[in-house]
Amino acid sequence: MEKTLNNKAWFLVLPVLVLVAFSAVIPLMTVVNYSVQDTFGNNQFFWAGTEWFQELLASSRFWAAIGRNLVFSGIILAIEVPLGILIALNMPRKGWGVPVCLVLMALPLLIPWNVVGTIWQVFGRTDIGLMGYYLNALGINYNYVQNPIDAWVTVIVMDVWHWTSLVVLLCYAGLVSIPDAFYQAAKIDGASRWAVFRYIQLPKMQRVLLIAVLLRFMDSFMIYTEPFVVTGGGPGNSTTFLSIDLVKMALGQFDLGPAAAMSLVYFLIILLLSWVFYTVMTNYDSGR
Amino acid sequence: MASIELDHIRHAYAGPSKAATVYALKEIHYTFEDGGAYALLGPSGCGKTTLLNIISGLLHPSHGRLRFDGRDVTELSTQERNIAQVFQFPVIYDTMTVYDNLAFPLRNRGVTESEVDKKVRETLKMIDLADWADRKARGLTADQKQKISLGRGLVRSDVNAILFDEPLTVIDPHMKWVLRSQLKQLHQRFGYTEIYVTHDQTEALTFAQKVVVMFEGEIVQIGTPAELFERPKHTFVGYFIGSPGMNLMPVDIQGKNARLGSQSIALPGAPKTAGESKLELGIRPEYVRLGREGMPISVTKVEDIGRHKIVRAELEGRSLAAILGEDDDIPAEPKVRFDPAGINIYADSWRVEMGA
């Protein structure tokens, strides 16, 4: 086939190029630019090379933040995914219960993140908070401002409360797409409840589950607003996740160079993990 | 294998009720013989799937009892009834291999692994999938998947019956023929009791020894394909089976004659009517003879469908279809005669016998 060549056609992709340039490429390049320079304000910059990167990768503060992030993501995935599946399995399939459940499940997702943070910040306070006050009244020593473990528990419970319904809704969507004939066939084949879950429901939920895991992992790895509102990264540095650390550095200390270097490393980590997830997902789908 | 006895079965989805109209299944009283191949034929919504689900135990009938070989199974679960069912859309366990799919119902019942292996290998041979044993089931074609669903039933040697719920709906036309004949062979070789639900008359007539025609929740006729064709008991059967369906026209009966408008039609005998209000004469297009003698008609359309021609005409203001050989010509002033062998008389839609 003869192809018509017309170089003017390139102009057709120009709008997209301009949009992407202003929304992504130029800001990113600005960050790259900062990350290799040092500044003392007044728009004066000095070449710093890879100094910030070396410093960052050698700093224990950075690795500690990454560690906290990974532990946090691991814990909330381990709670939210099984819990979400369990709730989705027990949600009604027909009748008036369906809209009720769906609305209840969607509610936490509709609340802005800083509001969620504020809700739990107040909820957990030991002086006026419903949960904080009564926990202490029951003799359980709970204080998220002073005790790192309590702070972690609060942040994790908050995330589970906020995001489990996303997993529920995705799983539910997978479940309702299973035709009745499958359950009937399973009955005829004498399958146990567990076998129905393992061989019918789980395979049908597999795709949405992978998406749920990916979304929840990325989101929790980038978590900022809620713990910032509740604990502000404390007590000490115990809930200082990467993003909180980054903002502290860039805005609190105005260390643009190190902050830019950290942004880039953070970005690359997320890019790498997304790629790993994506590859695993697509291989899992087509491979076997 | 077992005989299946439907003892005054009725079903309403909303639960038992006094109003007859809510019954999706009006009274069904019939016994499917052990080892028979039956087809349940009827239009969508006639209750055939309801009946099938009652037999398989997925539905509990509002009234009546169900017996397998005389044993009451009405209260038993699907699993305990030990039947196999093939659904409209192939049901397979995606993540398992073909082998594991077939082994699944056996393993669920705690059969030993050596017995499972023997049975599964046997069944794979029966359904022609022996070379596919270790493949994942998800990549197969629709007809192979449907064979696996069937295989999961066949693998259990003790099944009471195999039920088919329009199993060929999603299969490509050329594979339909292949599968249908394989099903028939399997039946002839192994003699399962088979009940096959369909709305496709060709499927029903080729598959079954006996066809059960259902209409609005009732069985209107049970018979061999030839009986359904020659002597439809109900005008619905006449109209539903055959292509085109039976011609029906309102008549007055006078002894051995039927009057249709200004025409008089000789009947093979005097119908034993009992003063019913609506009398009709039914004749299949195959028995309408087109020629130069008889009752004058006006031809409105001729459909040439290859093997033969379908002539659409009007007789005394009533539409009439006739089947004509591919090479036959239509005379300039066409007239029709009815072959007496093909004439049936219906009173209030039900066929009446002819006296001498």
Side-chain angles (χ1 to χ4, degrees):
Chain A
M1 204 178 77
E2 194 75 9
K3 265 191 188 167
T4 317
L5 278 177
N6 186 345
N7 281 327
K8 282 182 190 144
W10 285 106
F11 282 108
L12 293 175
V13 294
L14 195 64
V16 173
L17 282 180
V18 170
L19 266 177
V20 173
F22 276 95
S23 69
V25 179
I26 293 175
L28 185 66
M29 285 308 129
T30 319
V31 174
V32 172
N33 188 29
Y34 283 150
S35 72
V36 290
Q37 301 189 67
D38 194 5
T39 178
F40 304 105
N42 293 336
N43 241 356
Q44 287 181 302
F45 287 95
F46 306 93
W47 175 252
T50 58
E51 200 179 305
W52 299 132
F53 289 97
Q54 288 165 4
E55 195 174 289
L56 179 76
L57 294 177
S59 93
S60 58
R61 172 174 154 180
F62 173 71
W63 290 109
I66 286 195
R68 280 191 287 271
N69 249 129
L70 288 174
V71 170
F72 178 72
S73 295
I75 292 177
I76 62 117
L77 280 181
I79 297 176
E80 287 176 15
V81 171
L83 186 65
I85 293 175
L86 200 69
I87 295 175
L89 284 175
N90 287 299
M91 265 168 70
R93 301 286 155 75
K94 49 179 103 125
W96 57 268
V98 176
V100 172
C101 284
L102 288 180
V103 168
L104 278 179
M105 284 298 143
L107 270 181
L109 299 175
L110 297 175
I111 301 174
W113 298 345
N114 52 351
V115 177
V116 172
T118 312
I119 291 174
W120 284 85
Q121 200 262 344
V122 175
F123 195 44
R125 278 175 65 161
T126 49
D127 49 353
I128 56 166
L130 207 57
M131 179 176 80
Y133 180 82
Y134 282 106
L135 277 180
N136 282 298
L138 287 171
I140 300 162
N141 195 7
Y142 167 84
N143 188 339
Y144 68 79
V145 183
Q146 284 160 12
N147 186 340
I149 296 205
D150 291 352
W152 268 81
V153 168
T154 312
V155 173
I156 285 167
V157 170
M158 175 174 67
D159 198 85
V160 168
W161 176 85
H162 194 183
W163 289 111
T164 304
S165 37
L166 178 77
V167 183
V168 173
L169 292 178
L170 284 170
C171 289
Y172 187 70
L175 283 176
V176 292
S177 71
I178 303 174
D180 273 349
F182 277 81
Y183 295 114
Q184 296 174 347
K187 266 193 205 168
I188 288 166
D189 289 337
S192 62
R193 183 72 195 80
W194 165 250
V196 169
F197 174 72
R198 171 68 186 79
Y199 297 112
I200 296 177
Q201 292 172 324
L202 200 58
K204 291 280 169 187
M205 280 195 292
Q206 181 187 311
R207 274 161 175 273
V208 285
L209 264 182
L210 281 164
I211 292 170
V213 168
L214 179 64
L215 281 178
R216 283 314 301 131
F217 178 77
M218 301 320 299
D219 237 24
S220 61
F221 201 70
M222 298 189 287
I223 192 165
Y224 172 73
T225 318
E226 300 101 313
F228 180 76
V229 173
V230 177
T231 64
N237 271 336
S238 62
T239 54
T240 301
F241 299 115
L242 272 178
S243 56
I244 295 179
D245 204 21
L246 182 62
V247 172
K248 269 187 189 167
M249 197 187 289
L251 299 181
Q253 299 157 234
F254 212 70
D255 286 337
L256 285 187
M262 187 173 163
S263 304
L264 282 180
V265 173
Y266 196 8
F267 171 66
L268 288 177
I269 292 173
I270 288 178
L271 199 65
L272 175 79
L273 289 170
S274 302
W275 177 79
V276 168
F277 264 107
Y278 180 78
T279 317
V280 169
M281 266 165 80
T282 41
N283 279 355
Y284 201 65
D285 249 15
S286 60
R288 304 175 311 151
Chain B
M1 293 303 106
S3 68
I4 298 168
E5 188 186 342
L6 305 165
D7 182 1
H8 299 280
I9 296 273
R10 290 201 290 158
H11 187 72
Y13 280 96
S17 161
K18 286 205 174 82
T21 48
V22 303
Y23 282 88
L25 211 57
K26 289 163 194 156
E27 191 155 296
I28 303 277
H29 188 69
Y30 186 70
T31 303
F32 294 103
E33 299 296 337
D34 187 0
Y38 296 87
L40 291 179
L41 178 66
S44 302
C46 72
K48 50 194 188 326
T49 299
T50 308
L51 183 57
L52 202 68
N53 287 342
I54 285 176
I55 295 173
S56 64
L58 297 170
L59 275 178
H60 187 272
S62 313
H63 303 275
R65 312 303 299 173
L66 182 72
R67 291 187 199 91
F68 287 176
D69 274 343
R71 195 168 67 99
D72 192 325
V73 296
T74 321
E75 306 303 328
L76 294 188
S77 70
T78 301
Q79 203 176 328
E80 292 163 317
R81 289 186 193 188
N82 210 2
I83 42 92
Q85 186 162 354
V86 179
F87 295 89
Q88 189 167 358
F89 296 97
V91 174
I92 52 150
Y93 303 104
D94 274 347
T95 50
M96 298 186 199
T97 60
V98 172
Y99 181 96
D100 288 336
N101 256 280
L102 295 190
F104 188 61
L106 295 180
R107 287 178 181 153
N108 284 333
R109 285 173 171 78
V111 177
T112 60
E113 212 44 43
S114 60
E115 181 70 16
V116 168
D117 190 66
K118 194 179 127 234
K119 279 278 165 201
V120 170
R121 301 274 169 214
E122 232 175 79
T123 312
L124 280 171
K125 245 181 236 140
M126 276 161 72
I127 57 173
D128 256 354
L129 284 178
D131 300 337
W132 298 73
D134 297 325
R135 290 280 292 265
K136 283 279 174 196
R138 70 166 62 166
L140 304 185
T141 58
D143 53 290
Q144 288 171 324
K145 286 182 182 177
Q146 205 56 302
K147 280 195 205 170
I148 294 178
S149 329
L150 173 65
R152 283 205 315 271
L154 297 177
V155 79
R156 283 149 47 199
S157 49
D158 57 339
V159 297
N160 283 319
I162 303 178
L163 312 178
F164 298 88
D165 190 358
E166 308 192 16
L168 301 184
T169 311
V170 294
I171 309 295
D172 287 343
H174 69 283
M175 281 311 295
K176 276 189 186 178
W177 285 101
V178 178
L179 269 186
R180 211 182 294 155
S181 54
Q182 284 186 347
L183 282 180
K184 221 174 165 164
Q185 274 176 15
L186 283 176
H187 178 255
Q188 281 159 359
R189 274 178 57 198
F190 302 99
Y192 299 104
T193 309
E194 298 185 337
I195 301 177
Y196 190 105
V197 161
T198 178
H199 57 239
D200 180 333
Q201 49 165 308
T202 326
E203 237 169 83
L205 299 177
T206 51
F207 171 81
Q209 300 160 330
K210 277 212 168 158
V211 179
V212 178
V213 185
M214 294 186 65
F215 179 56
E216 290 182 345
E218 278 181 287
I219 293 179
V220 285
Q221 186 169 5
I222 297 165
T224 62
E227 282 167 358
L228 296 179
F229 190 80
E230 303 284 342
R231 294 281 172 261
K233 265 194 192 158
H234 188 273
T235 50
F236 172 76
V237 181
Y239 145 83
F240 193 71
I241 290 177
S243 174
M246 182 179 250
N247 296 301
L248 284 165
M249 47 207 82
V251 290
D252 291 323
I253 303 289
Q254 290 164 343
K256 286 188 171 189
N257 282 299
R259 287 202 69 80
L260 170 67
S262 59
Q263 304 293 334
S264 177
I265 301 158
L267 301 178
K272 293 172 182 161
T273 56
E276 288 92 345
S277 55
K278 198 173 108 197
L279 292 172
E280 285 167 297
L281 181 148
I283 182 152
R284 290 210 174 268
E286 286 81 356
Y287 291 102
V288 177
R289 308 276 177 248
L290 205 68
R292 292 178 201 285
E293 286 164 39
M295 298 173 283
I297 55 166
S298 58
V299 175
T300 50
K301 199 163 86 183
V302 178
E303 296 162 21
D304 192 333
I305 60 165
R307 287 169 297 149
H308 53 246
K309 291 181 206 165
I310 299 169
V311 180
R312 306 274 182 187
E314 280 196 8
L315 168 66
E316 295 287 318
R318 299 272 158 192
S319 60
L320 178 83
I323 286 184
L324 209 61
E326 183 60 20
D327 301 324
D328 296 347
D329 288 322
I330 300 164
E333 277 177 33
K335 293 183 172 162
V336 291
R337 282 183 305 112
F338 293 166
D339 186 337
I343 294 179
N344 291 291
I345 299 293
Y346 295 91
D348 290 340
S349 302
W350 293 93
R351 183 173 179 273
V352 290
E353 289 297 323
M354 306 253 194

